[in-house]
Every structure is written in C-alpha cells, then in structure tokens.
Amino acid sequence: MKILKTQRSLALLVLIVGVVTGVALSQSMKAVKASAAVAPDATPLTIPDPVQLSNSFSKLAKEVEPSVVQVTSTIEQKMVQRRSPHGGQQGGQPDADDFFRRFFGGDPFGDNQQGPQRPFKSQGTGSGFVVDSHGYILTNNHVVDGATKVQVQLHGDQTQYTAKVIGTDPELDLAVLKIDAGHPLEPVKIGNSDGIQVGDWAVAIGSPFGLDETVTAGIISAKGRDLGSTGHQLQRFLQTDAAINPGNSGGPLLDIRGQVVGVNTMIATSSGASDGVGFALPINMAVTAYNQIIKTGKVSRGAIGILFQRQQNPELLKAYGTSSGVFVSQVTAGTPAAKAGLKEGDIVKSFNGKPVANGDELVALVSETPVGAKVPITVRGDKTLDLTIEVADRANIIAGNTGEAAAGPDSEEGGEQSQSVKFGISVRALRAEDRDSMNFTATGGVLVADVESNSFGEDIGLQHGDVLMAIDRQAINSPADVKKIAATLKPGQAVAFKVLRSAGQLQGGGAQWTPVFLAGTLPAAQ
C-alpha cells in the first residue's frame, strides 16, 4: 500500500511538472512568434562612444561660464501702490518703464495686483560677472537696490558668498560687488562695444528664472537704442535677439570671441518673458562708471544747469536761423549756465571745442567732463557768443533744482528729487500743495521721503512721511539745512532729531501732528 501511494504521488508530480512546462513552453513560443511578427528584419540600435562636437559657441561658453555668477538679493518690500500692468492712463500710451521692463527674477513688475501690499521679505535672483580676480563683480543696480543682504554663487560652487556693495551708479543701472572666495577668481575679458556692428553674433550667459549657466545666442539687432526711460537719460543700449529672461539682469553680453560687450539690463516684452528684444548697456559706458566706483565709491558726472527738449524741433531751430544745436528752454538760476550768461532761447552750438548736433551729444560731452573744469561753450542767440563755463556735479544740480519746469524725462537735469544724506534718509522740501494736502500748518520742516533699510535712520525710528523739524536743536527749513548739519557731525557722535508725525485724523478732517524726539549714536561707517 505504501509503494502504491508513492507511485501515485510520483505520477501526480510528473503530471503537474508537465503541465507547468507545457504552459511555459506555450508562453515562450507565443513570445517568439510575437517578436518575430513585429520586426523580424530589424537590427538593434547601438550608442557610439561620446565625441566632443566643438564649435565657437560651446568653446565660448566653457571659457566664460566660470566668470559668470548668480546674485541673490533679500529685499524687504515696502507698502507700495502698484500701477496697472498695462501702464499709462486710459486711452493713453503705456509708460516706458512699464513697457521696457527690468528683468530681475522676482521683480514685482509681473504682479498684477493692485493696491497697497503688506511689508514682507522676498528674494530675487539676478546675474553678474567677475571683472577682477580679487572678487570684484559687475551687475545691475536694480538687482541689489534696496537689498538687506546680497549673496553670490560661483560656477560649480554651492557656497553662498556674502557680497559687499562697493558702489552703485543708478543712472546707468550698475553696481559693483565684492566677495571673498578664499582664492583668486577668473575674470571675464572686456571688449570694446564701439566696435560692435548690427548683425554681429551676440551671446548671453546668466541665470534666467534661477537656472544658472544658461547660454543663449543671437545677433546685435540695433545700437544706441534710447528707450526714453525717466531717470535714465544717459543710457544708450545695444539691442539683441539673444533670448534673455527674468534673472538675466546683470549678466554679460558677449561677442563671438567671448569678450564682454554689454551688461544685460532690460527687455521689451508683452508676456513677461523674452520676446526676442533685449537691451544691454554697452561695456564702454559700464567700464567708465566701474573705474570711478572702485576709486571713489560713486560716479560723478558733469552738468551745467539747462533744460531742453530731448526731441529737438527742426522747425524751431530753423526759425532761429540754424539747423542743428540744442535749443535752451530754461536756464536754472544759480547754475554754471546762468553764471556763464546762457539765456532762455539760446542755441548751444559747441561744447569744449566739439560741435553739438543734438541733445544726446551735449549730454554725453557735459557728463564726461570732469567736475570743476572750465571749458568753452559757443551759443547762438541774438548773436554768436563764445563763453566759458565751469562744469558742476550733476548730482548737486539735480538736487538743487526745485523748479516745476524741470520735471519729466525731457529735461537734461531731471526734476525735483529728494536729497539723500548720511543718516540713511531722503528728504525733500515741503511745497505749499504738500502742506495743504497734509493739513500741515507748522512752519519749516522737510518731508522724510524715504528711510533706507538697515540704516541709522531706521535704527532710531525715523519713518517715511515724518516731517523733520530739527537736528540737535537746529531748525530745519530746507534739505540744504539737513545736508549742512550732517556735514558737521562725526562717527560716534550722538545726534537728536525732532519730527512731527501724523497720529490719525481729528473730527473735521484736520490731521493731528504729534512731536516725536529720536536720538542715536552715529555708527563708524556711513
């Protein structure tokens, strides 16, 4: 009986194995038939060994990428009233600053929200490039403007190096940074933007949308492009169709030899991203500003104190008996132009021995002239006169010009602006209309237009909208008073401020202005 059971078990096992084997063979045969049925004559593909396909662009990228950096700025956003993303007034043309948008990653230009926003801290990324092995970096001013912290990341290095802002040039939208990486850095090769021609190859490298080491190529589409942007009259851009996007700000624009010919600064866009129209500040202009910043920490430019229309009217010049020159619409009192004898209606024909065909040429000549230099100027009025004029500092001319006629992008010297002093605040005069709208009836004082983040003024509690009445018991009646008093103070010295601050509205609509006394010790570094 035991043997019979064993034989039966063995037979059952053989049967099971046979069934399993049959199923496996059946599936295998089906797979073979299916494989053969799909592509019986196909040969498997093979991947060849990697081969370096070198060309001018890849070679350029390898050479320059180690010199291009990513810049991250931490910015404390203040309460601001956002403009319509379409710009301008209903039925009018959009403002130039709305159309030709800066493209710093995280820039609020892309935010369509309206109304005041709560203060908050945000981060944005831009680009820059090393110009000196000791860690000096060139980028856009709007990449670091208002930042409480600036960090730089090098190619192939995950370290976030804290950067020091050596100086800025707001008019050209440039900033010079310095980092200590613990080793020499690889600087870019500086080219000559005057030699660039329309149609030349152009290569942009940067960190669009935070994507570092991004390389794009195109051509130079135009030169000397004037965007008509308020406050940036000196800028004349190289235009390129090399794709540049938010985050490319401050990165280099290169020629086919890998030399920097521009600083990527702005784009024209309807979508917020690249539409094939980008603008780079010519490197020759950037170098001039950089050399001043590393020497003095700032950029000084000449000015003479005249106002004129940026777009000259040929008929107006013709009526005055000439076809070229700059028609003077106003001479600001107390400026070099007024002292030299220039008058409204004069036409500037030459400056420092060089003929002047239009306002752009005059601005370039005057701004490049050293402050304090005495140069000849030829003007045509009732008769042609050869005068001598002493060039003043452009910043002082702008700060001192409070005439309403000076406002707007059409003037050489700009409009009424706040005056920055070393307390980290900007102040401006209180006009009659300001006093009326603020219901401010006290005599004297200047309006605190802005308080810089992390400044002495912020530390002691000064606020935007305060009316500064006195410093160290000395009455304040104008921005000049603030500057004069500030010049007498020294680091380590205690200083006291009296301000009037709005404390809400009283019944009847009158503002309640409350005196507030603030004080602090001036830090060693201003």
Side-chain angles (χ1 to χ4, degrees):
M1 292 294 291
K2 293 182 179 180
I3 296 174
L4 180 59
K5 289 182 179 179
T6 303
Q7 290 175 339
R8 288 178 180 177
S9 299
L10 179 61
L12 180 61
L13 177 61
V14 170
L15 178 61
I16 293 172
V17 171
V19 171
V20 173
T21 304
V23 172
L25 289 174
S26 175
Q27 291 178 344
S28 177
M29 291 299 294
K30 289 180 179 180
V32 170
K33 289 180 180 179
S35 175
V38 172
D41 57 348
T43 302
L45 300 178
T46 59
I47 299 175
D49 293 335
V51 177
Q52 184 66 46
L53 301 176
S54 180
N55 58 44
S56 296
F57 291 130
S58 61
K59 180 181 178 182
L60 180 155
K62 288 182 179 179
E63 291 179 350
V64 179
E65 277 182 342
S67 305
V68 181
V69 304
Q70 184 179 93
V71 181
T72 302
S73 294
T74 301
I75 301 172
E76 182 177 340
Q77 302 285 355
K78 296 183 178 181
M79 295 181 67
V80 295
Q81 184 73 31
R82 302 208 186 277
R83 295 181 294 180
S84 166
H86 303 293
Q89 298 179 353
Q90 185 176 0
Q93 295 296 321
D95 184 87
D97 284 335
D98 284 332
F99 184 65
F100 299 104
R101 299 180 180 186
R102 295 187 179 124
F103 50 104
F104 173 39
D107 195 318
F109 276 123
D111 188 351
N112 293 337
Q113 294 181 354
Q114 299 290 319
Q117 306 294 308
R118 292 182 178 276
F120 65 97
K121 288 187 176 182
S122 63
Q123 282 190 334
T125 58
S127 304
F129 52 96
V130 178
V131 293
D132 188 295
S133 61
H134 291 93
Y136 291 93
I137 295 166
L138 193 60
T139 186
N140 281 144
N141 178 53
H142 73 261
V143 171
V144 300
D145 187 27
T148 55
K149 188 176 184 180
V150 179
Q151 294 176 300
V152 169
Q153 184 174 332
L154 303 173
H155 173 76
D157 186 347
Q158 296 301 313
T159 305
Q160 292 284 346
Y161 296 98
T162 299
K164 177 182 179 182
V165 179
I166 300 300
T168 64
D169 181 4
E171 288 204 86
L172 291 188
D173 198 3
L174 293 173
V176 177
L177 313 178
K178 187 179 189 302
I179 64 171
D180 182 6
H183 59 83
L185 303 183
E186 184 67 30
V188 297
K189 297 178 181 178
I190 300 297
N192 189 327
S193 52
D194 287 345
I196 293 296
Q197 300 297 319
V198 173
D200 285 350
W201 281 109
V203 177
I205 303 182
S207 302
F209 303 108
L211 303 172
D212 60 340
E213 304 168 22
T214 296
V215 181
T216 57
I219 63 169
I220 298 295
S221 307
K223 295 176 59 178
R225 186 69 79 190
D226 175 12
L227 305 185
S229 180
T230 303
H232 298 276
Q233 186 184 14
L234 299 178
Q235 293 175 325
R236 295 295 181 270
F237 290 101
L238 297 173
Q239 181 181 325
T240 179
D241 66 351
I244 46 182
N245 287 286
N248 270 116
S249 283
L253 186 71
L254 311 163
D255 62 18
I256 197 63
R257 294 172 294 179
Q259 297 178 325
V260 178
V261 294
V263 183
N264 297 323
T265 303
M266 305 178 88
I267 56 174
T269 178
S270 58
S271 63
S274 174
D275 283 346
V277 183
F279 304 96
L281 186 76
I283 194 63
N284 290 18
M285 300 180 71
V287 166
T288 300
Y290 172 84
N291 289 340
Q292 287 198 52
I293 289 174
I294 61 174
K295 183 178 181 180
T296 65
K298 62 178 183 178
V299 177
S300 297
R301 294 187 175 89
I304 57 177
I306 64 173
L307 307 179
F308 58 86
Q309 296 295 314
R310 296 186 69 178
Q311 297 297 326
Q312 294 288 293
N313 186 341
E315 296 300 320
L316 180 63
L317 294 176
K318 183 178 179 181
Y320 277 74
T322 186
S323 59
S324 64
V326 177
F327 186 89
V328 179
S329 59
Q330 184 177 341
V331 177
T332 304
T335 62
K339 295 176 182 178
L342 271 73
K343 297 182 175 60
E344 176 183 305
D346 283 345
I347 298 172
V348 179
K349 301 292 293 183
S350 71
F351 182 86
N352 201 16
K354 298 179 180 179
V356 175
N358 52 55
D360 288 344
E361 291 185 2
L362 179 60
V363 170
L365 289 172
V366 174
S367 64
E368 293 171 0
T369 303
V371 175
K374 295 181 179 180
V375 299
I377 183 172
T378 300
V379 299
R380 180 170 179 169
D382 297 332
K383 58 182 179 179
T384 299
L385 297 174
D386 293 320
L387 308 172
T388 299
I389 192 167
E390 182 176 351
V391 176
D393 191 311
R394 181 179 173 87
N396 293 337
I397 293 290
I398 292 176
N401 183 7
T402 58
E404 286 295 325
D410 290 337
S411 64
E412 176 196 353
E413 311 301 350
E416 178 177 345
Q417 298 191 8
S418 56
Q419 182 174 344
S420 180
V421 294
K422 68 178 181 179
F423 304 125
I425 63 175
S426 293
V427 299
R428 69 172 178 82
L430 277 169
R431 300 165 295 189
E433 54 266 36
D434 294 328
R435 295 176 183 274
D436 290 340
S437 64
M438 296 163 57
N439 292 313
F440 186 83
T441 58
T443 302
V446 294
L447 183 67
V448 177
D450 187 51
V451 180
E452 297 175 6
S453 181
N454 295 334
S455 67
F456 172 75
E458 184 184 63
D459 290 343
I460 67 171
L462 286 169
Q463 297 179 9
H464 165 75
D466 285 346
V467 177
L468 181 57
M469 301 299 296
I471 300 177
D472 281 351
R473 298 184 179 182
Q474 300 180 64
I476 301 297
N477 295 296
S478 69
D481 291 339
V482 180
K483 185 176 181 180
K484 181 179 179 181
I485 294 172
T488 66
L489 301 174
K490 298 179 180 180
Q493 183 174 342
V495 58
F497 297 78
K498 176 186 177 181
V499 301
L500 294 182
R501 181 172 295 168
S502 177
Q505 298 293 321
L506 296 175
Q507 291 183 354
Q512 180 181 356
W513 292 89
T514 302
V516 177
F517 293 87
L518 306 168
T521 300
L522 290 173
Q526 294 293 319

